[in-house]
Amino acid sequence: MKKSKVLILGGYGNFGKRIAENLSLIENIEIIISGRNEKKANALCNELILNGASADVKSAILDIHHSDFSHRLNALSPNIVIHTGGPFQGQDYRVPEACLSVGSHYIDLADDRRFVCDITELNDQAKDKKVLLVSGASSVPGLSSAVVDHFMARFSKLDEIDMAIAPGNKAERGEATVKGILSYTGHSFQAFKKGRWIEQYGWMSPRKLWFGKAIGNRWLANLNVPDLELFPKRYTSVNTVNFQAGLELPILHFGMVLMAFLTKKGLVKNWSKFTAPIFHSSEVFKYLGTSTGGMQVNLSGYDVNNTPISVKWNLCAEDGVGPFIPTISAIILAKKLMMGSINETGAMPCLGLFTMDEFDEEATRLGIYHQTEVING
C-alpha cells in the first residue's frame, strides 16, 4: 500500500469521528481531521493517539464555505477527501470541484437526492483528472444498492424494492442530519410506484414494520432519498421503489408527521429554519427508547423458474453502534482506493462499488449483523 493522505471534512462530527477512528488503525497513512473548530479537531487527534492510532494523525482548520477553501485544500494536498460535512441539501459542488483541482479522490456521505444523482455533471472532468468522485457512500444508496445487487441473481424479474431504516432513539445523532430531514418534511417529491411516477410527501404515509425480535415494530414515514430516482434506472424491471424511515418514540415520530401535514397545507414553509430548537427539544427524550436500530430491504419478483419469490434482508445494530452504519460505505471505498483495488474514474453515485462481503468485513467487527429470509411461491 502506497502511503496515502486522507482528509476528513467534518472529521470530529458524528460520522467523521467514526471514520477517523476506523482508518486510524491503518499503518503508513496520514489522516487529517479537519473542520472549523480547532479545539474539537485537536481533541479528536489526541484521543485517537491515546487510543493507539497506527496512522499519523493531524488536524487542519478548513471551512468549505470560505473563499480560500480550494487554496487551503491544495496546500494540504490530500490523496483522498472524505466529506461528512452535511447537511448536503442545498450544497453546491465546491468540495468535489476543489478535489478536481487538487487531483484528489473524493467520497461523501450525502443522502440528498439532487446532490447524489447530479454528481455525474462532473464525470468528464473527473475522468480527465483520472480521479474518482463518489457521492452517497452511506446507508443510501451505497449499502442499499449493495444489498439489492447481492440478491439480483435470485431474480429473473425484480418487481419491487421496499427499504426502511429505523434508528434507536438513544443512538447519537447530529444536528446536520436533523436539518437535512427537516428540509423536505412535508414537501412533495416523485417516487416510482406500479410502473409510473407519482407524488409523495416527506414524512407522511405512516406505517408499521416488523424488524425482528431485537427491534420489534417501528413506525415509518416517507423519505426523499437518491434511491427513489437511481434504482428504477439501475434495476430496469422494477415497477415500485419505496423508502421510509422512522423515529423509535411514537411521540416524536407522529410529531414529525404532524409537522409534515402543516407544511403540506402551506402553514409552515420550511421546518429546517427551526432545526436548532427542534433538535434540542428532541434531546429531552434521548434517555427514552433503546440504542438498537436496524435497516430492512424487501425484494419481490420472480425467480429463474418464473415462480414468485420474496427476499427480506434485515440488519440489526445494538448497543448504540447504529451511527457506524452510514460510515461503512465510505470506509470501504477509502481502503480500496488506498490499496489501488478500484480502477474506476469519473463522478458517480455510490452504486456497485463494493460487495456485501466487503461490508460484512467491516460490520462484523462492530457487532452489526443481518439475516435473510427467502419465501418461494
Side-chain angles (χ1 to χ4, degrees):
M1 183 187 298
K2 294 181 180 179
K3 184 165 186 178
S4 296
K5 184 185 292 187
V6 183
L7 185 145
I8 307 174
L9 288 166
Y12 47 78
N14 190 34
F15 298 134
K17 66 184 178 183
R18 289 173 165 83
I19 295 172
E21 178 184 325
N22 184 297
L23 298 183
S24 71
L25 301 177
I26 301 173
E27 295 181 348
N28 197 37
I29 71 167
E30 182 179 326
I31 297 175
I32 304 173
I33 308 298
S34 71
R36 291 176 293 182
N37 191 311
E38 183 176 13
K39 185 177 179 180
K40 289 182 179 180
N42 287 333
L44 180 58
C45 287
N46 292 333
E47 181 183 333
L48 294 173
I49 292 168
L50 287 173
N51 288 337
S54 298
D56 184 11
V57 182
K58 299 179 180 179
S59 66
I61 306 306
L62 277 177
D63 181 351
I64 66 171
H65 300 293
H66 199 282
S67 59
D68 69 351
F69 168 70
S70 184
H71 175 74
R72 285 178 175 268
L73 186 69
N74 187 64
L76 293 168
S77 63
N79 305 108
I80 302 169
V81 172
I82 303 177
H83 183 13
T84 73
F88 288 87
Q89 286 77 5
Q91 278 196 38
D92 58 21
Y93 290 127
R94 70 184 62 195
V95 177
E97 286 173 344
C99 290
L100 285 173
S101 67
V102 174
S104 164
H105 298 297
Y106 164 89
I107 304 166
D108 70 46
L109 276 66
D111 61 358
D112 178 63
R113 183 166 172 170
R114 291 273 50 84
F115 192 95
V116 175
C117 293
D118 295 343
I119 192 72
T120 52
E121 294 175 2
L122 303 176
N123 188 54
D124 290 342
Q125 297 175 59
K127 284 185 175 296
D128 289 342
K129 291 285 188 175
K130 297 181 180 180
V131 297
L132 180 64
L133 310 181
V134 180
S135 187
S138 191
S139 302
V140 293
L143 174 55
S144 54
S145 63
V147 174
V148 180
D149 288 350
H150 182 73
F151 293 111
M152 277 301 293
R154 293 177 178 264
F155 292 87
S156 62
K157 181 181 185 297
L158 177 60
D159 185 61
E160 182 174 347
I161 304 173
D162 183 22
M163 301 163 286
I165 291 179
N169 186 63
K170 290 182 179 178
E172 187 178 4
R173 53 186 173 268
E175 191 168 332
T177 301
V178 174
K179 185 174 183 178
I181 294 171
L182 290 173
S183 70
Y184 55 77
T185 295
H187 294 278
S188 65
F189 57 87
Q190 294 290 304
F192 197 61
K193 299 291 179 71
K194 296 182 179 180
R196 63 189 184 93
W197 291 98
I198 67 167
E199 191 172 54
Q200 286 190 329
Y201 290 85
W203 217 269
M204 298 197 76
S205 306
R207 64 160 173 158
K208 256 185 181 181
L209 187 66
W210 176 254
F211 281 83
K213 291 182 179 179
I215 299 174
N217 280 310
R218 292 285 178 88
W219 282 102
L220 304 169
N222 298 332
L223 256 67
N224 185 14
V225 296
D227 306 43
L228 298 176
E229 184 171 330
L230 296 171
F231 283 15
K233 297 176 184 177
R234 182 172 177 81
Y235 310 106
T236 54
S237 68
V238 75
N239 286 314
T240 296
V241 178
N242 188 52
F243 188 93
Q244 292 188 309
L247 303 178
E248 182 179 10
L249 302 183
I251 188 173
L252 296 181
H253 183 86
F254 283 98
M256 291 288 292
V257 173
L258 175 60
M259 290 162 59
F261 176 78
L262 294 175
T263 295
K264 184 181 177 183
K265 292 297 182 181
L267 299 176
V268 179
K269 187 175 181 180
N270 188 350
W271 285 105
S272 67
K273 295 179 180 179
F274 308 103
T275 297
I278 290 172
F279 176 77
H280 293 301
S281 295
S282 71
E283 290 291 279
V284 174
F285 300 90
K286 67 181 179 181
Y287 298 108
L288 301 177
T290 70
S291 58
T292 301
M295 177 174 176
Q296 190 172 130
V297 178
N298 289 282
L299 309 174
S300 60
Y302 297 88
D303 66 14
V304 292
N305 297 315
N306 209 34
T307 302
I309 180 175
S310 298
V311 175
K312 177 190 286 187
W313 179 86
N314 202 67
L315 175 145
C316 184
E318 300 178 285
D319 302 321
V321 299
F324 280 95
I325 297 171
T327 69
I328 293 177
S329 299
I331 289 168
I332 293 169
L333 294 186
K335 289 181 177 179
K336 292 180 75 168
L337 285 168
M338 290 180 210
M339 293 185 292
S341 60
I342 295 182
N343 296 318
E344 296 257 12
T345 60
M348 63 197 70
C350 188
L351 299 168
L353 293 175
F354 66 90
T355 67
M356 284 304 298
D357 286 341
E358 290 171 318
F359 173 80
D360 286 339
E361 187 176 343
E362 298 294 337
T364 302
R365 299 171 188 166
L366 297 166
I368 297 169
Y369 60 92
H370 53 87
Q371 298 175 320
T372 302
E373 179 182 347
V374 180
I375 301 174
N376 293 291

